[in-house]
Amino acid sequence: MSKEYTIRVMTLEDYDEVYALWMGIHGFGIRSIDDSKEGVERFLKRNPTTSMVAVADGKIVGAILCGHDGRRGCLYHVCVHEDYRKNGIGKAMAVACMRALQEEKINKVSLIAFKSNELGNHFWKDAGWCFREDLNYYDFTLNEANITKFNQ
């Protein structure tokens, strides 16, 4: 596997490859509606310049969905194929997303990592992200059909 890679903006044409990447990662959570092709298309239309993919050896080996609400950015589904980890790809994609957010005058970015995602939590702490203990995270399901399934 080559250690050379490029980071570029994600497009809807990348969906099938990105979805296959998601499905190949142990413990990765996929939402039935939000992560469908139509759901990702809505997300990319709203955030056309901020999501990134990493390409190596002619294929997508990393991806981040990144968007904002005009005030705060958020990273979703940050992943790198197991064979390409420890080469700086995750960090390079996150930096590219943050630069894209800065271009849109966004000054703060957040992310959510499952407590059980030890690898991800370790990565974010090592990258200098602050673990927040001063707030509680709440969510409310508007569509019960939008279920999360975790890869085994």
Side-chain angles (χ1 to χ4, degrees):
M1 311 284 164
S2 172
K3 290 188 179 188
E4 293 185 28
Y5 59 88
T6 58
I7 306 297
R8 65 168 172 77
V9 172
M10 182 188 299
T11 67
L12 188 59
E13 289 73 31
D14 297 321
Y15 177 80
D16 291 337
E17 248 189 294
V18 169
Y19 188 82
L21 175 65
W22 292 342
M23 295 306 292
I25 295 177
H26 175 73
F28 202 83
I30 301 292
R31 287 196 174 283
S32 56
I33 296 172
D34 293 342
D35 297 325
S36 68
K37 189 168 189 173
E38 295 77 20
V40 171
E41 180 177 25
R42 274 191 310 277
F43 187 86
L44 294 177
K45 280 184 178 178
R46 181 176 171 92
N47 302 282
T49 64
T50 52
S51 294
M52 302 292 158
V53 293
V55 179
D57 298 322
K59 62 185 177 187
I60 292 175
V61 299
I64 298 179
L65 288 176
C66 173
H68 69 84
D69 59 10
R71 178 180 170 118
R72 180 180 301 237
C74 192
L75 304 183
Y76 304 92
H77 288 355
V78 179
C79 63
V80 176
H81 188 284
E82 285 183 12
D83 295 341
Y84 291 85
R85 292 179 183 162
K86 304 290 185 192
N87 290 304
I89 293 172
K91 183 176 181 178
M93 287 190 305
V95 167
C97 288
M98 290 187 286
R99 286 189 177 137
L101 290 169
Q102 286 177 315
E103 287 289 318
E104 297 195 25
K105 308 293 188 237
I106 302 301
N107 299 306
K108 191 159 183 106
V109 62
S110 61
L111 62 90
I112 298 168
F114 288 106
K115 288 184 183 266
S116 62
N117 183 354
E118 292 180 29
L119 184 67
N121 285 296
H122 183 74
F123 173 83
W124 295 114
K125 287 177 186 173
D126 282 354
W129 287 61
C130 298
F131 179 75
R132 300 283 304 260
E133 295 188 47
D134 61 329
L135 51 82
N136 294 321
Y137 176 80
Y138 296 89
D139 73 23
F140 190 90
T141 300
L142 296 174
N143 185 342
E144 293 295 330
N146 192 31
I147 59 169
T148 301
K149 179 182 175 216
F150 291 93
N151 298 339
Q152 298 299 318

